[in-house]
Amino acid sequence: MTFDSHAQTPNPLAPDWLRPPADANELAAGLWPSSASRTSAGELVLGGVRASDLAAEFGTPLYIIDEADARARAAELLAVFQAEFARIGTNAKVYYAGKAFLSTEVVRWMIAAGLNIDVCSGGELAVALAGGAEPSRLGFHGNNKSLAELDQATRVGIGTIVIDSEIEIGRVAEAAARNGRVQNVRLRVNSGVHAHTHEFLATSHEDQKFGIVLTDAPRLVGLIRAQAALNFVGLHCHIGSQIFGADGFAESAARLLDVHAALLADGPVPELNLGGGFGIAYTSADEPTPIRELAVALADIVATECTRLNIPVPVLAFEPGRVIIGPAGVSLYRVGTTKAVDVSGTTRLYVSVDGGMSDNVRPALYGADYAVRLADRTSDIAPELVRIAGKHCESGDIVVDADYLPGDVTPGDLLAVPATGAYCWALSNNYNYQGRAPVVAVLNGAARVLVRGETIADLLARDTGAALSAPTNGGIS
Ligand SMILES: *Cc1c(COP(=O)(O)O)cnc(C)c1O
């Protein structure tokens, strides 16, 4: 550890939340997968494998998932929620939100940990089934499921379908009847609570595409119950993503339980699904609420409300994605160029890497912040404010808007960006005909490919005219 007094003066271009680190090589607690460490020579090691070896074998950019970390997070979250809801006399089910990152291997990890899986398209359903998930352990949601998707889901015997609009009631019933099934369904409602990170907004109506207005729920549940091919399981609600604190969830749960209690007058309502959205740390300024604290607060509010309403406590269901897979992921990039840019007398060091908005679109999409560290070495040189830019043709193509790196960061360096396990590969794209990067799992000193990267041949494969005129790909693979 070096203490550099120079490093204690913030660069005026840095955002307020970002403090200059005493040691710009430190792997801050809570940001990196549990296996992350540095060798005595300063190299980043993940799952027992050196970052430089991973980059040499699989290239950059590269997504790395710490397998033990992801599996432990899934198992611990389930254990904590089950323990807290057992305390109030009920059970809790956990669905892994597959949209965060899904591959057949991740399906196997989640199923082995005792979780169910949520899908929201025919493609995600196909991956879950290819991973060997029993259809009864799957949930299907989305505001515009196609008739083909509903047919496929009911045919394979999917566990539950979340109905998102009045129109879907008839569609799901028809698909279920055609496939000779009585389909378990939830009804997605807007609790009027919308939350993101520290704030939540509570209104009586929400102006958004998902779900139905809470006051409409009794009428729609009546329509569901009138369908012989449907079995109503309970209400469903998802108030947002990357949420810190339990207050938004608690407010939403209280509102839902009022309606849940009214629905009990006309039939059973065995479950209540409060969705996902639990936040994680992307930078050292983020302090997400520990899962146990959330579970305690939610079990307490559910118990209190059920006592007040004099109703039995339902089985609870949750759908976290980010909090399970996000912190288990790290992205590796190679530095190509650096450029010191003078901004009204202050220097910002631009560091350009070989990926960008094609492998992580979250900064461009909604201003998401990330952290960065040197991955193949450490350095005692005083930290400088850096902006990690991608290689794409957009000035908003930023991977890390602001962090401090040792001032000698240079072309050829390997960089690591933590907390990229969720919504990075899943949202990846081929902008500028950049092939999608591979996803590699590391465990006990070994690495294996979960999803291979795309080659130039992959990129040309769907271009129907390519075979006619291109005898060569120019030697680039
Ligand atoms: C996105 C989503 C989730 C998962 O959200 P996370 O922030 O990844 O926990 C759960 N349920 C629904 C309905 C969603 O749309």
Side-chain angles (χ1 to χ4, degrees):
M1 306 279 132
T2 51
F3 179 84
D4 189 316
S5 59
H6 171 79
Q8 301 306 297
T9 314
N11 182 314
L13 298 174
D16 287 342
W17 58 263
L18 180 63
R19 310 308 306 168
D23 177 4
N25 304 300
E26 191 196 6
L27 306 176
L31 271 191
W32 296 82
S34 53
S35 73
S37 64
R38 286 196 188 271
T39 63
S40 50
E43 268 221 53
L44 175 67
V45 177
L46 297 162
V49 189
R50 291 191 308 171
S52 59
D53 288 343
L54 290 164
E57 183 170 0
F58 304 106
T60 51
L62 177 64
Y63 301 99
I64 299 158
I65 304 271
D66 182 330
E67 175 175 344
D69 190 74
R71 299 177 78 142
R73 284 174 172 280
E76 282 165 26
L77 187 142
L78 179 64
V80 165
F81 272 86
Q82 289 191 330
E84 286 309 318
F85 283 93
R87 177 172 62 81
I88 65 162
T90 188
N91 192 12
K93 297 179 177 178
V94 175
Y95 290 78
Y96 169 67
K99 71 181 191 207
F101 172 64
L102 202 63
S103 76
T104 55
E105 188 63 10
V106 170
V107 169
R108 287 185 276 271
W109 297 348
M110 296 303 140
I111 293 293
L115 277 66
N116 303 314
I117 295 180
D118 245 353
V119 298
C120 64
S121 71
E124 288 183 1
L125 174 57
V127 174
L129 294 174
E134 267 191 45
S136 62
R137 288 178 67 173
L138 304 179
F140 198 134
H141 62 86
N143 63 304
N144 186 18
K145 309 167 200 74
S146 72
L147 298 181
E149 286 170 333
L150 290 175
D151 188 62
Q152 180 196 13
T154 50
R155 182 157 25 86
V156 300
I158 201 157
T160 54
I161 294 179
V162 181
I163 289 179
D164 193 273
S165 60
E166 183 167 352
I167 286 175
E168 275 198 338
I169 298 172
R171 287 185 188 169
V172 178
E174 246 173 65
R178 188 168 51 246
N179 289 299
R181 299 194 62 235
V182 175
Q183 179 63 53
N184 285 335
V185 296
R186 307 182 193 273
L187 178 64
R188 180 161 180 174
V189 296
N190 294 323
S191 62
V193 175
H194 188 79
H196 180 71
T197 312
H198 296 291
E199 302 89 35
F200 78 88
L201 193 74
T203 60
S204 54
H205 291 280
E206 255 204 286
D207 187 3
Q208 65 135 310
K209 72 170 185 169
F210 291 114
I212 57 119
V213 179
L214 191 51
T215 48
D216 236 8
R219 183 176 68 84
L220 266 59
V221 171
L223 296 178
I224 291 170
R225 283 172 166 157
Q227 295 278 358
L230 301 182
N231 178 45
F232 180 65
V233 172
L235 297 176
H236 171 289
C237 177
H238 174 71
I239 61 171
S241 206
Q242 182 58 3
I243 301 168
F244 292 178
D247 295 353
F249 293 108
E251 174 66 26
S252 183
R255 290 178 173 206
L256 257 63
L257 280 165
D258 273 335
V259 177
H260 176 105
L263 296 174
L264 281 168
D266 295 313
V269 191
E271 298 189 14
L272 177 65
N273 188 327
L274 295 178
F278 311 144
I280 65 168
Y282 284 99
T283 72
S284 42
D286 288 337
E287 283 173 16
T289 314
I291 287 297
R292 182 173 302 277
E293 241 176 76
L294 274 177
V296 168
L298 285 170
D300 286 350
I301 187 86
V302 167
T304 304
E305 291 300 304
C306 289
T307 303
R308 179 177 67 81
L309 294 160
N310 196 24
I311 56 169
V313 182
V315 168
L316 274 289
F318 298 93
E319 306 173 332
R322 183 191 316 266
V323 79
I324 292 173
I325 204 74
V330 173
S331 295
L332 288 185
Y333 301 95
R334 186 77 66 183
V335 176
T337 63
T338 61
K339 188 186 290 179
V341 175
D342 181 271
V343 185
S344 340
T346 308
T347 300
R348 189 196 300 278
L349 184 60
Y350 276 82
V351 176
S352 292
V353 296
D354 48 2
M357 63 192 294
S358 54
D359 61 82
N360 187 354
V361 76
R362 296 186 65 255
L365 198 57
Y366 35 73
D369 288 311
Y370 282 90
V372 63
R373 285 291 174 259
L374 287 173
D376 54 353
R377 66 185 180 99
T378 52
S379 165
D380 289 343
I381 303 297
E384 273 190 40
L385 181 71
V386 295
R387 176 170 284 168
I388 310 300
K391 63 178 289 180
H392 295 283
C393 302
E394 289 277 333
S395 51
D397 171 31
I398 301 300
V399 179
V400 181
D401 180 62
D403 199 354
Y404 288 89
L405 277 183
D408 62 344
V409 57
T410 194
D413 276 337
L414 198 59
L415 299 184
V417 174
T420 58
Y423 304 110
C424 289
W425 184 88
L427 284 164
S428 65
N429 59 78
N430 290 130
Y431 184 44
N432 295 144
Y433 274 104
Q434 171 97 338
R436 283 180 181 76
V439 187
V440 166
V442 289
L443 177 71
N444 297 332
R448 65 201 165 108
V449 176
L450 298 189
V451 188
R452 74 161 172 82
E454 286 172 325
T455 61
I456 294 285
D458 287 326
L459 298 176
L460 281 168
R462 286 173 299 134
D463 184 325
T464 57
L468 303 177
S469 58
T472 170
N473 63 14
I476 303 164
S477 62

